[in-house]
Amino acid sequence: MTKRKPLSTVVAESLSEKIRSGSLLPGAQLPTEAELCAEYDVSRTVVREAVARLRSEGLVVPQQGRGMFVSETPAPRNFSIPDEALRTLPETIALLELRLSVEVESAGLCAERRTDAEASAIRALMEQVDAEQADPAVVQIHYDYDFHLAIAKAARNEFIHGFLSYLRPMIVPRFQLGYVVTPALKDSYYARIHNEHKTIVDAIERQDARAARQAMRKHLHNSLGRVRALARASGVATTEAEQKAAAASLFSDMKRPVQTGG
């Protein structure tokens, strides 16, 4: 006699298939416990066990106060991620946190200070970047960095633009997009990023600094979430010591001898 699978396994496997097939897209919120209970005709305990299994596999992640969401990052067993790439995950997360703190204000200043010509150029660059939609296996995860630099330049703050330009060779080459986006979900991923970009550009064109900041914060927060999810799924922990060492290495060449008068 064939042993029946536990109900929690049945529910977990069904939800897992929906995620892998694209029926539940990355970033989508899972149905509530009550909805899943009704859909599968099971108890809340069964649903909680099934969701806990999906979470342990890196397929769903919690968002405080909002519920469970489909991970932006597939489980790493679907890909061959080089060890050297995994080792840079803590640095990449720290750099994205830094970008988040700088570029949110950059977008707001851009909305306030940009010229009409700059706004048009930013939109044209966005359309160019978003139209390429290259194979995730051959494109870098931060393929839109030129778009971000154009916004920083129009913010009329040379320190912001210069700093982000300085970070470019440290940030852009780190990961292929294929580490976080499966080929089957490529089109929906690019569409979602284009919508995020468009929301930023629309606010810049309206000269709505508040909306531009909000849109940039959401865009970069989503990018940070994808890399954090990859780190969690890969079992890579970020420690304070690692961040200190990485920062010391990254910025050592920024140090300049103090000029003294004489």
Side-chain angles (χ1 to χ4, degrees):
M1 180 179 293
T2 303
K3 185 177 180 180
R4 295 180 61 185
K5 293 180 181 179
L7 288 175
S8 60
T9 300
V10 173
V11 174
E13 288 180 349
S14 175
L15 290 172
S16 176
E17 177 56 30
K18 288 182 179 181
I19 292 170
R20 297 186 190 282
S21 68
S23 295
L24 282 172
L25 294 172
Q29 185 172 11
L30 285 187
T32 64
E33 280 188 1
E35 290 169 339
L36 290 172
C37 287
E39 179 179 351
Y40 291 100
D41 193 21
V42 295
S43 67
R44 287 182 179 267
T45 299
V46 168
V47 167
R48 288 169 185 166
E49 290 175 355
V51 172
R53 175 173 168 175
L54 296 180
R55 184 177 178 182
S56 70
E57 294 177 356
L59 292 175
V60 299
V61 292
Q63 291 188 14
Q64 189 172 3
R66 298 185 61 199
M68 300 297 296
F69 289 75
V70 178
S71 174
E72 296 276 3
T73 307
R77 66 174 179 268
N78 295 331
F79 300 94
S80 175
I81 303 177
D83 289 342
E84 59 269 23
L86 290 176
R87 282 196 297 270
T88 66
L89 272 170
E91 296 173 27
T92 303
I93 290 169
L95 285 168
L96 273 168
E97 289 172 346
L98 176 59
R99 281 185 64 190
L100 184 61
S101 65
V102 173
E103 291 198 54
V104 168
E105 186 60 22
S106 173
L109 292 175
C110 176
E112 293 172 352
R113 301 172 178 176
R114 61 52 174 189
T115 65
D116 290 345
E118 286 169 333
S120 297
I122 289 170
R123 177 170 290 278
L125 181 57
M126 173 195 70
E127 296 293 356
Q128 177 187 337
V129 169
D130 289 349
E132 291 177 358
Q133 301 194 6
D135 180 349
V138 299
V139 68
Q140 301 299 330
I141 189 171
H142 300 301
Y143 65 89
D144 61 348
Y145 205 74
D146 284 339
F147 168 72
H148 288 264
L149 283 179
I151 291 172
K153 189 169 184 62
R156 295 286 187 282
N157 185 314
E158 287 303 318
F159 288 96
I160 292 176
H161 181 257
F163 183 60
L164 293 175
S165 297
Y166 169 77
L167 290 181
R168 180 190 181 116
M170 304 174 194
I171 292 176
V172 175
R174 296 201 162 216
F175 295 99
Q176 292 174 338
L177 186 60
Y179 297 157
V180 296
V181 178
T182 61
L185 299 177
K186 174 177 78 75
D187 292 342
S188 62
Y189 174 83
Y190 280 125
R192 187 163 69 256
I193 297 302
H194 175 64
N195 286 335
E196 292 177 8
H197 286 166
K198 185 176 182 299
T199 302
I200 296 169
V201 173
D202 288 347
I204 288 172
E205 289 180 338
R206 296 195 309 271
Q207 294 189 296
D208 187 337
R210 181 172 177 271
R213 291 183 178 98
Q214 289 177 336
M216 182 64 81
R217 182 180 292 108
K218 179 180 179 181
H219 176 53
L220 290 177
H221 190 271
N222 287 345
S223 180
L224 179 58
R226 284 185 282 274
V227 179
R228 282 176 172 164
L230 178 61
R232 284 193 301 269
S234 304
V236 176
T238 301
T239 68
E240 184 178 354
E242 286 173 327
Q243 285 202 13
K244 285 181 177 179
S249 173
L250 289 172
F251 299 115
S252 61
D253 63 346
M254 293 183 72
K255 296 178 180 177
R256 298 286 185 271
V258 176
Q259 299 294 326
T260 58

